[in-house]
Amino acid sequence: MEKTFTKNVKQALNNPVLRANYRKALDALAEKRKTAFADISLELPARREAAYALRLNSLHKLPELLSQLEQKLNENGIHVHWAQTPQEANQIAESILRQNNAKKIIKGKSMITEEIRLNDYLEEHGFNVIESDLGEFIVQLAGEKPAHIVAPIIYKNKEQVAKLFAEKLNFHGSSAEELTHAARQFLRKEFYSADAGLSGVNFAVAQTGTLCLVENEGNGRFCTTIPPLHIAFMSLEKVVEKFSDVPLLYSMLCRSASGQKITVYFNMISKPRQKDEKDGPQHVHLIILDNNRSTILSDPLLRKTLLCIRCGACMNNCPVYTNIGGHAYDAAIPGPIGKILMPQIAGMEKYGHLATASSLCAACVEVCPVKIPITDILLKLRAQATSLKNLSFKQRLYSGKLAEKIAFMLWAYIFSSPLRYKLFLKMLHAFPALIPLKVRFTPMLRQWTKTRDFPMPR
Amino acid sequence: MNVYLYATCLSDMLNRQIQKSAKTLLEKAGLKVHVLAGATCCGQPAYNAGHRSAAKKVAMQQLSIFKEDWPIILPSASCAAMMKYHYTKLFEDEKDTFEQVLKLKRKVYEWSAFYQSLSPALIDKGAAIKVFCHPSCHGIREMQQHQVAFSLLDSLEHVQLLHLPHEHECCGFGGTFSIKHSSISTAMADRKIDELSKLITSHGLSRLVGADYSCLMHLQGRMQRLGINIEVQHLACFLEQRL
Ligand code: SF4
């Protein structure tokens, strides 16, 4: 997997248009976030602290909140399903769709469905899935994957979108308004003819059994009100205790994600259509996914990964993400949060290398609205990854892990003794010219001199 | 007043002028400076790479060398941050060592911040020059003192401090990151160098300074490779030359 990452990185770094697209869009997002907090800049530390405490409290009480949520939802007529694995979640969705005879599915934006690769699964099983969020719609048209959790098409510029629309929709236009209008026209028909609507959940309120959905385009509301069947997906940490917990988190989410004080739409879903109501789905289901999260919860530091409210601010401000872009991570969730979440939900073997791809600059930690100690978690994952325990001899050798361990043991041997250290310095300064040379020829250190000179000791 | 100067391994190995200048300036400000004998490395390289037992072994050695209760001054924000904020994490489960760690934590200062707190006479004897001061990530986000270097430079009569659009962005060094992910690290440096180059041609920028030698070494190494010749200096060396 590390190989794929290296390859992706190389490709991205050699693509100036892509990098310019990212730079421009991310600068704008980072700037928006900054101005969004201008009116409360003095309160910001206190609000972040409050949001952090509130989320952590929910995590502490997770089992009871989840059972309260389930009970409330059941009372309200929403069916709750539990899935341990992505596979299970997909199968549950499939069987609900089949029971309801649903073939055509319209979908709102949801990161968890990316995590379980729901679209691929459903399409393989004969369903027709249409993304209705503008960005996701474009991604789907292009046959690609979202590159950002809030702004899926951040990697494309307007011209590229116009070209895609001309090719795929036979629509010729160039301004953002024209293109949006074209997508809207196309989607409008689909909303009315879809058999089921799918959505994610931003916050699930245990006390009232309310599923909150944050969006800007109104497509989420369409998906969750027009088709006769609504299936919502959430990972289990999305639950919060009380309704009064929501405003703070909602405000932190909007300001951090898009620089808005509030979004255009805020949906609260609590029941299927009632007898005297004219609209709304007849059936509502909620699928709650674990995917290793209950294991993550048992570690006091790693647990904090699950505080995340998916605002994307960490990626908007990340110099690695800005340079390599979202696709390079080859992960449902890219960027700093992806680096700590993916190895934990999808395995160190697959994503462990992401934890090393950070300079630990902590720009993400600085902006995260719920104060996730991303760098500390990276360090913990790195520490776990240095263990050679479960590796075969071959793996130890070829992964470079053994060599690295030996190098650091040697380093510690010298640097833990003032005497050895002094001797080492003496040698170094006696033959200063040897150092840049040594750096050049040592396999690991050669990575430095590939692109940079090494200073002459003086 | 007595203080300890913790030279840092990077200065010991690659640029001894940094500790000399840092010492001279503190002495000029009236301090008695003791360069810490027995100091090697704060342990950060291993800690950041996840090799905690190696990091501990070296960090333990540092804990044992402070005989007097004097301030410990480091000419590097990242090493200072390691001792001040990360030793508590590295030793969180070691009850026998933890108290020592806390004691050390209270005494650790980054050089430029400590120097400025002495209100030194900043009489600039140098020629007019335009400089950029690279604020390191540890200076900005951990020690939270990067403004100090700016203000020191701003108070020099003949020095004009220039700024970059993305100056708070990481230069891409990041210890083993610069080796393990050399291409990303280099791309990050190039972003910074692009902006620097613009300042060189448009504003006559002629020097890059900073309070963290690791970032400077990285940027300098890359600039040399690209054939961009601009002098790079640790803040302490730059100041010593002019005062
Ligand atoms: S980790 Fe923090 S900044 Fe990143 S998406 Fe989650 S909440 Fe937002």
Side-chain angles (χ1 to χ4, degrees):
Chain A
M1 278 329 229
E2 180 152 16
K3 269 206 193 107
T4 324
F5 180 67
T6 316
K7 200 182 93 219
N8 294 346
V9 165
K10 199 168 160 198
Q11 254 173 24
L13 291 177
N14 287 326
N15 184 342
V17 178
L18 183 84
R19 293 179 72 193
N21 290 351
Y22 271 106
R23 185 51 141 190
K24 197 169 150 214
L26 292 170
D27 272 359
L29 278 173
E31 194 51 40
K32 273 192 192 163
R33 176 196 164 270
K34 245 194 239 153
T35 29
F37 282 110
D39 62 329
I40 54 158
S41 62
L42 289 178
E43 287 167 52
L44 181 55
R47 287 207 195 185
R48 290 177 74 212
E49 186 60 38
Y52 162 79
L54 205 156
R55 286 290 299 127
L56 192 60
N57 194 39
S58 316
L59 293 185
H60 286 324
K61 293 188 178 173
L62 208 64
E64 54 185 278
L65 293 185
L66 284 171
S67 66
Q68 196 186 356
L69 177 72
E70 180 176 30
Q71 195 193 334
K72 276 285 159 201
L73 288 171
N74 282 335
E75 281 170 27
N76 294 348
I78 295 180
H79 305 279
V80 179
H81 311 262
W82 300 90
Q84 278 295 325
T85 61
Q87 177 70 8
E88 256 177 67
N90 286 330
Q91 284 165 349
I92 294 169
E94 183 194 357
S95 78
I96 300 171
L97 290 167
R98 291 213 191 279
Q99 275 159 26
N100 287 272
N101 237 336
K103 302 240 160 48
K104 182 168 177 179
I105 297 147
I106 188 102
K107 192 164 159 278
K109 190 168 161 23
S110 138
M111 287 325 294
I112 181 176
T113 56
E114 295 297 330
E115 180 181 328
I116 62 177
R117 306 183 72 109
L118 179 74
N119 288 15
D120 293 348
Y121 180 91
L122 290 180
E123 272 157 17
E124 275 161 29
H125 289 78
F127 296 89
N128 175 15
V129 186
I130 302 151
E131 292 284 356
S132 67
D133 171 89
L134 180 60
E136 296 284 353
F137 173 71
I138 295 169
V139 168
Q140 195 181 29
L141 263 192
E144 289 160 355
K145 291 255 168 259
H148 186 283
I149 63 174
V150 175
I153 48 160
I154 193 126
Y155 60 104
K156 282 197 190 303
N157 58 34
K158 212 170 54 202
E159 290 67 38
Q160 292 167 324
V161 175
K163 207 169 144 232
L164 182 72
F165 275 35
E167 269 167 33
K168 302 270 166 150
L169 300 177
N170 197 21
F171 173 82
H172 299 274
S174 58
S175 74
E177 289 72 32
E178 284 174 319
L179 296 168
T180 311
H181 187 72
R184 191 171 281 159
Q185 291 250 301
F186 177 87
L187 285 169
R188 197 52 60 101
K189 308 188 294 283
E190 309 289 355
F191 284 121
Y192 288 109
S193 57
D195 306 315
L198 305 190
S199 78
V201 172
N202 290 91
F203 313 108
V205 184
Q207 188 188 45
T208 53
T210 312
L211 308 178
C212 304
L213 191 60
V214 177
E215 52 141 350
N216 271 319
E217 296 170 13
N219 67 307
R221 185 160 299 175
F222 265 130
C223 289
T224 57
T225 50
I226 299 181
L229 168 67
H230 169 209
I231 308 176
F233 292 80
M234 66 176 244
S235 45
L236 45 78
E237 79 275 19
K238 295 278 165 184
V239 67
V240 297
E241 188 175 5
K242 304 184 292 293
F243 217 94
S244 56
D245 293 344
V246 174
L248 174 67
L249 295 176
Y250 176 44
S251 142
M252 293 303 269
L253 170 62
C254 304
R255 287 175 193 250
S256 308
S258 52
Q260 293 169 289
K261 298 228 161 68
I262 58 169
T263 47
V264 183
Y265 293 89
F266 182 76
N267 306 288
M268 289 170 275
I269 297 153
S270 50
K271 285 180 180 136
R273 184 194 295 198
Q274 302 296 292
K275 272 204 195 82
D276 50 346
E277 288 175 346
K278 293 204 173 65
D279 58 6
Q282 277 96 350
H283 307 285
V284 181
H285 294 259
L286 173 68
I287 301 176
I288 302 178
L289 174 73
D290 183 329
N291 201 15
N292 212 34
R293 286 170 173 82
S294 37
T295 317
I296 302 175
L297 273 168
S298 60
D299 183 285
L301 176 63
L302 299 180
R303 174 187 302 153
K304 293 183 181 172
T305 312
L306 303 179
L307 297 172
C308 178
I309 54 173
R310 300 284 187 273
C311 72
C314 54
M315 21 201 113
N316 301 343
N317 289 276
C318 173
V320 173
Y321 180 91
T322 315
N323 271 297
I324 66 173
H327 287 140
Y329 296 78
D330 193 23
I333 312 270
I337 179 67
K339 281 179 203 168
I340 57 172
L341 181 67
M342 295 311 295
Q344 297 186 72
I345 60 175
M348 282 299 249
E349 306 74 38
K350 195 158 179 216
Y351 286 115
H353 60 277
L354 288 186
T356 63
S358 162
S359 67
L360 302 174
C361 78
C364 50
V365 180
E366 192 179 25
V367 295
C368 176
V370 289
K371 296 180 71 165
I372 302 180
I374 297 175
T375 42
D376 287 342
I377 296 176
L378 282 171
L379 286 173
K380 177 142 192 173
L381 295 175
R382 286 183 188 185
Q384 287 179 353
T386 57
S387 156
L388 301 175
K389 251 192 230 140
N390 298 319
L391 298 181
S392 68
F393 184 69
K394 240 183 163 170
Q395 282 170 321
R396 288 177 192 191
L397 221 54
Y398 291 122
S399 64
K401 282 190 177 182
L402 187 63
E404 186 179 317
K405 190 154 217 152
I406 293 172
F408 273 110
M409 273 162 67
L410 192 68
W411 169 85
Y413 177 73
I414 298 172
F415 281 66
S416 59
S417 142
L419 200 72
R420 289 192 285 267
Y421 179 66
K422 241 191 214 134
L423 222 65
F424 166 73
L425 288 181
K426 271 233 163 70
M427 268 160 51
L428 189 98
H429 290 290
F431 310 101
L434 279 182
I435 293 306
L437 261 181
K438 183 175 154 280
V439 170
R440 178 152 301 203
F441 292 112
T442 310
M444 257 196 295
L445 299 181
R446 199 164 48 209
Q447 292 297 325
W448 176 280
T449 48
K450 243 166 76 180
T451 56
R452 291 150 290 200
D453 286 357
F454 197 79
M456 188 75 87
R458 57 196 160 103
Chain B
M1 182 186 186
N2 287 294
V3 296
Y4 282 127
L5 183 73
Y6 188 100
T8 77
C9 65
L10 224 47
S11 166
D12 275 345
M13 294 189 292
L14 299 174
N15 191 335
R16 285 172 291 185
Q17 188 56 44
I18 298 169
Q19 48 190 287
K20 283 184 205 146
S21 298
K23 180 167 185 267
T24 311
L25 285 175
L26 292 175
E27 282 169 350
K28 269 197 186 166
L31 301 187
K32 195 159 174 9
V33 182
H34 308 260
V35 177
L36 253 172
T40 61
C41 166
C42 64
Q44 192 178 188
Y47 175 73
N48 282 357
H51 294 272
R52 297 220 169 170
S53 59
K56 260 187 207 171
K57 196 166 164 192
V58 172
M60 276 301 263
Q61 156 63 23
Q62 316 315 304
L63 287 171
S64 70
I65 55 179
F66 307 103
K67 301 282 177 283
E68 306 292 334
D69 200 26
W70 300 330
I72 300 151
I73 302 166
L74 297 98
S76 155
S78 79
C79 312
M82 176 70 193
M83 290 186 163
K84 210 170 175 67
Y85 300 116
H86 293 280
Y87 274 16
T88 44
K89 295 171 195 162
L90 184 61
F91 290 100
E92 64 188 353
D93 300 323
E94 318 260 332
K95 57 177 191 292
D96 298 335
T97 325
F98 202 71
E99 219 173 329
Q100 238 175 310
V101 168
L102 288 182
K103 225 168 121 190
L104 172 69
K105 176 186 167 87
R106 283 193 290 271
K107 295 188 289 185
V108 166
Y109 299 89
E110 187 273 324
W111 180 84
S112 63
F114 196 87
Y115 180 63
Q116 196 202 33
S117 73
L118 303 168
S119 315
L122 296 170
I123 300 156
D124 188 4
K125 297 189 204 119
I129 188 170
K130 291 177 180 166
V131 304
F132 171 70
C133 179
H134 171 65
S136 74
C137 296
H138 288 91
I140 301 172
R141 286 176 275 269
E142 294 208 293
M143 300 306 286
Q144 303 191 355
Q145 295 170 331
H146 69 288
Q147 300 284 354
V148 168
F150 292 171
S151 91
L152 280 169
L153 290 165
D154 267 333
S155 6
L156 295 180
E157 203 185 334
H158 307 125
V159 172
Q160 191 188 341
L161 180 63
L162 302 177
H163 292 277
L164 297 183
H166 296 91
E167 71 183 10
H168 283 209
E169 200 169 281
C170 176
C171 70
F173 174 63
T176 44
F177 169 74
S178 64
I179 293 169
K180 281 190 185 160
H181 296 279
S182 170
S183 57
I184 307 178
S185 164
T186 305
M188 284 160 75
D190 285 351
R191 278 266 158 91
K192 192 132 302 241
I193 293 168
D194 273 351
E195 292 189 350
L196 280 172
S197 305
K198 282 188 193 126
L199 278 191
I200 296 174
T201 41
S202 66
H203 287 75
L205 175 78
S206 66
R207 196 156 310 172
L208 166 62
V209 302
D212 266 79
Y213 179 64
S214 50
C215 317
L216 297 180
M217 173 180 87
H218 173 63
L219 288 171
Q220 185 174 28
R222 181 61 183 159
M223 287 196 292
Q224 274 171 6
R225 185 59 62 88
L226 294 171
I228 298 169
N229 291 314
I230 156 176
E231 209 179 315
V232 179
Q233 249 181 335
H234 189 277
L235 180 71
C237 307
F238 179 75
L239 290 176
E240 196 213 344
Q241 265 182 5
R242 307 188 66 92
L243 298 175

